[in-house]
Amino acid sequence: MLCRVGQIRRCAASLSQTLNLVAASRQKHTLPDLTYDYGALEPSINAEIMQLHHSKHHATYVNNLNVTEEKYQEALAKGDVTAQVALQPALKFNGGGHINHSIFWTNLSPNGGGEPQGELMEAIKRDFGSFQKMKERMSAATVAVQGSGWGWLGLDKESGSLRIAACANQDPLHGTTGLIPLLGIDVWEHAYYLQYKNVRPDYVKAIWNVINWENVSERLQNAKK
């Protein structure tokens, strides 16, 4: 019996050590570099906004996500379900913030604007009637977000159709609606207030001038695989 107890204790100690090693070796999330300068999107989005948005706001989501995941790993190792549940909102908020912004930066380009080409354009015409109608519908849905959130163009993989959706706060599109994100417009005030004040429609109108349609098209191709 004592031998059996000793084996259980050694097994538990070994499991605890393994969990600690997994937690220690877990790759931490990092702030992605931009492929353009902070001032490259002017006049649509000024340099001050881009610098604060990327280096401060997005960085905060990344840092808080890493801290929350460490706490979650500790709760898992202890079998503390109450702590795991309590950490879910922070995981959703900071994880969503990191996911959303990582998409957002690549959706923008100093060489953006204009209209998409190829399969993306055909899909937009099929599902919305025209590119202009899609822009109008997505702009309206984005401007109408109450408080803070995002407007999205996403792919419904089951039907193969493009859809427009809005998500509150930092709720990630795929985890919230099942749609695969192709294009996101951030309408948290930190994304535009220093330049556009409380006139959100002007910001949403201007951002179409820097949309990176090549990136959106690439996301559509990857989503269909």
Side-chain angles (χ1 to χ4, degrees):
M1 183 64 180
L2 287 175
C3 182
R4 177 65 173 170
V5 170
Q7 288 177 337
I8 293 173
R9 286 176 176 171
R10 286 193 295 273
C11 182
S14 176
L15 178 59
S16 177
Q17 184 179 21
T18 300
L19 288 171
N20 288 335
L21 287 171
V22 169
S25 64
R26 182 182 61 81
Q27 189 76 27
K28 286 185 177 293
H29 302 284
T30 58
L31 182 69
D33 293 330
L34 300 186
T35 58
Y36 44 84
D37 295 333
Y38 287 136
L41 303 181
E42 291 184 343
S44 297
I45 307 175
N46 69 35
E48 184 181 14
I49 287 175
M50 287 298 296
Q51 182 174 12
L52 289 170
H53 198 173
H54 177 257
S55 68
K56 300 298 183 183
H57 291 280
H58 189 176
T60 297
Y61 294 125
V62 171
N63 292 336
N64 288 342
L65 177 59
N66 284 324
V67 170
T68 303
E69 285 192 341
E70 287 177 3
K71 292 179 179 178
Y72 196 81
Q73 288 294 333
E74 293 173 2
L76 280 173
K78 295 175 182 177
D80 188 344
V81 177
T82 300
Q84 293 170 43
V85 172
L87 288 165
Q88 290 296 322
L91 281 173
K92 181 180 181 181
F93 181 74
N94 293 295
H98 181 37
I99 291 169
N100 294 340
H101 284 88
S102 296
I103 295 169
F104 184 61
W105 308 130
T106 64
N107 277 168
L108 305 177
S109 169
N111 301 314
E115 298 184 355
Q117 304 296 320
E119 186 176 359
L120 175 60
M121 186 59 147
E122 293 304 313
I124 288 172
K125 290 179 179 178
R126 179 196 68 213
D127 295 329
F128 300 102
S130 70
F131 175 67
Q132 186 60 33
K133 288 181 180 178
M134 184 280 291
K135 275 182 63 176
E136 291 172 356
R137 285 183 55 184
M138 186 169 174
S139 294
T142 303
V143 169
V145 170
Q146 294 184 343
S148 301
W150 293 73
W152 290 99
L153 177 67
L155 174 69
D156 182 335
K157 196 161 185 178
E158 186 173 341
S159 67
S161 61
L162 302 181
R163 287 175 51 193
I164 290 167
C167 292
N169 300 315
Q170 293 297 352
D171 294 358
L173 181 69
H174 189 246
T176 304
T177 67
L179 299 175
I180 299 174
L182 305 178
L183 170 63
I185 300 178
D186 185 354
V187 285
W188 277 67
E189 286 192 341
H190 63 235
Y192 63 89
Y193 197 86
L194 289 176
Q195 183 174 355
Y196 294 94
K197 302 300 186 280
N198 63 332
V199 190
R200 182 186 285 178
D202 285 358
Y203 157 71
V204 172
K205 181 180 179 180
I207 204 170
W208 292 104
N209 295 324
V210 289
I211 296 299
N212 184 352
W213 291 113
E214 289 185 6
N215 178 262
V216 180
S217 295
E218 183 179 340
R219 288 183 180 279
L220 176 61
Q221 291 295 324
N222 291 336
K224 294 177 71 174
K225 291 179 181 177

